[in-house]
Amino acid sequence: MKCRMCGQKAVVNMRQHKLALCKEHYLEWIPAQVERFITKYSMFTHEEKILVAVSGGKDSLSLWDILTRLGYQADGLYLCLGIDEGLHYSSESQRLTEKFAVARGLKLHVVNIQQETGATIPELAHTSLRGRGKPCSVCGLVKRHELNRVARDVGYDVLATGHNLDDEAAVLFGNTLTWSVEYLLRQGPVLPGTSGLARKVKPLCRIYEREMLAYALLRGIEYIYEECPFAEGATSIYHKELLNRMEHDHPGAKLTFYLSFLEARRSGFFSGEHEIRQELHACPKCGQPTSAPGLCSFCRMVEKRKETTAGVSDPSGKRC
Ligand code: SF4
Ligand code: ZN
């Protein structure tokens, strides 16, 4: 297989694009694709300040690498979740993220959830009614709240996450199975900002997971290979496996699914009576917009944790 650009030996063959490239041209092609999607979906400009949510994984570190190579003003934000039993997932992902930032002279914000809330994600999940003890729902709530808080407090224009096409297609698949119109309306490359809520963008939303993996490996980015231990058995992983089977038999199926959805939404398929009309007000504790009466969900969860553990000393000694 030869590189379409130069005829040298190709190292990546993308059946879904009918395109094979050598290392040099692949490392040029991915950033060019990302730049194309940033422009196409009006994500941000070179004048705006971008906050990249980095987890230590291949997608978010590669996104940060690509944005800085493209000349954007992109700083990183790492949230230490305190998930450290067994594999030391949080400690290791923080170490790799900090190493990445230091090696490139990039600015990284680190927020320790235990210091912010008094508890790690597994501890918060323990005292929350969300997710019946499984931490992912609590984790999602905390991430949304803290990413938005830092973007607002430090003055970033936009929050960028490393969701790739496989992530987006799996979420879309799940929401389509249940016709969750409210979620479908909010899914897309850009979620516009509102007062108090930062604009959210996904510059990798049209790049396959295996394309990002190839980029990280060929670029020599050191990232955490292990998944979060709580990811095991997640429905989204099951949906990814189903979509992978479709993709294997019909290269390009995932991309077609996602792009057809965007086109259907653009042409008004989900509009009308399903438009989101939520009244938001500022949470009296943290000031972030919320539709809940009184405190926002994040502040209510932290308050509940404090009430439940009042008088109990915390024996944990997490590193990060
Ligand atoms: Fe958080 Fe769940 Fe993801 Fe782990 S798998 S980082 S707990 S959302
Ligand atoms: Zn709040």
Side-chain angles (χ1 to χ4, degrees):
M1 187 72 62
K2 290 193 173 160
C3 172
R4 187 195 286 177
M5 306 287 185
C6 66
Q8 298 292 310
K9 187 171 180 288
V11 295
V12 183
N13 179 25
M14 295 169 282
R15 287 200 303 158
Q16 62 279 15
H17 305 309
K18 297 187 177 63
L19 178 65
L21 293 170
C22 69
K23 176 178 174 181
E24 183 194 339
H25 286 112
Y26 187 73
L27 290 178
E28 286 175 5
W29 183 78
I30 286 282
Q33 290 290 99
V34 173
E35 178 83 300
R36 187 159 78 84
F37 303 138
I38 290 169
T39 308
K40 178 177 175 62
Y41 298 112
S42 305
M43 292 187 184
F44 44 75
T45 65
H46 281 273
E47 283 66 51
E48 290 184 298
K49 280 182 69 187
I50 304 152
L51 185 62
V52 185
V54 277
S55 66
K58 66 182 186 316
D59 300 303
S60 56
L61 289 181
S62 296
L63 172 62
W64 200 10
D65 169 275
I66 291 166
L67 293 183
T68 53
R69 280 176 192 279
L70 291 171
Y72 288 103
Q73 308 173 53
D75 296 340
L77 168 60
Y78 175 83
L79 299 179
C80 177
L81 306 171
I83 299 174
D84 263 331
E85 295 119 56
L87 291 168
H88 300 292
Y89 172 76
S90 288
S91 305
E92 184 60 5
S93 54
Q94 181 173 359
R95 184 185 73 77
L96 291 168
T97 304
E98 287 176 341
K99 190 174 169 190
F100 178 97
V102 169
R104 292 158 178 80
L106 299 174
K107 183 170 179 181
L108 175 68
H109 304 272
V110 176
V111 171
N112 186 310
I113 298 303
Q114 189 177 24
Q115 281 168 11
E116 291 296 321
T117 68
T120 62
I121 292 292
E123 289 166 353
L124 283 170
H126 196 67
T127 47
S128 167
L129 296 175
R130 287 174 162 262
R132 296 179 212 92
K134 198 151 166 43
C136 295
S137 170
V138 164
C139 188
L141 169 66
V142 169
K143 283 178 187 166
R144 282 192 296 278
H145 188 276
E146 291 301 286
L147 293 173
N148 194 61
R149 178 178 67 78
V150 175
R152 179 196 65 182
D153 290 356
V154 187
Y156 287 96
D157 299 295
V158 57
L159 186 57
T161 57
H163 294 94
N164 58 42
L165 175 64
D166 293 46
D167 299 324
E168 291 302 282
V171 170
L172 176 59
F173 190 65
N175 287 337
T176 306
L177 287 178
T178 52
W179 287 111
S180 305
V181 177
E182 272 200 25
Y183 290 126
L184 289 167
L185 268 168
R186 289 144 67 102
Q187 194 179 351
V190 178
L191 187 59
T194 53
S195 77
L197 281 178
R199 185 188 337 145
K200 293 192 184 118
V201 299
K202 298 170 182 169
L204 307 182
C205 65
R206 285 179 56 169
I207 313 271
Y208 279 76
E209 183 157 347
R210 65 180 288 270
E211 292 171 3
M212 289 316 302
L213 175 63
Y215 182 84
L217 293 175
L218 291 173
R219 182 63 79 198
I221 292 171
E222 209 183 337
Y223 63 89
I224 185 154
Y225 297 119
E226 286 79 24
E227 290 272 5
C228 168
F230 295 114
E232 201 183 322
T235 315
S236 59
I237 294 183
Y238 175 62
H239 290 160
K240 276 188 179 180
E241 285 166 6
L242 292 176
L243 290 165
N244 281 342
R245 281 160 59 182
M246 277 171 52
E247 182 74 26
H248 179 267
D249 294 338
H250 304 281
K254 270 182 232 179
L255 187 57
T256 303
F257 178 48
Y258 183 62
L259 293 183
S260 308
F261 157 71
L262 292 184
E263 180 52 30
R265 208 189 59 171
R266 196 194 62 76
S267 60
F269 190 75
F270 300 106
S271 58
E273 63 191 275
H274 295 301
E275 289 291 4
I276 306 167
R277 279 189 219 94
Q278 270 184 344
E279 290 293 322
L280 299 179
H281 67 269
C283 166
K285 184 148 180 267
C286 69
Q288 294 211 30
T290 176
S291 58
L295 294 181
C296 72
S297 311
F298 175 88
C299 291
R300 265 188 289 132
M301 178 182 67
V302 174
E303 289 297 306
K304 183 167 188 301
R305 167 86 198 167
K306 282 185 189 151
E307 283 165 21
T308 314
T309 57
V312 180
S313 64
D314 184 355
S316 63
K318 307 290 178 201
R319 254 202 58 212
C320 61

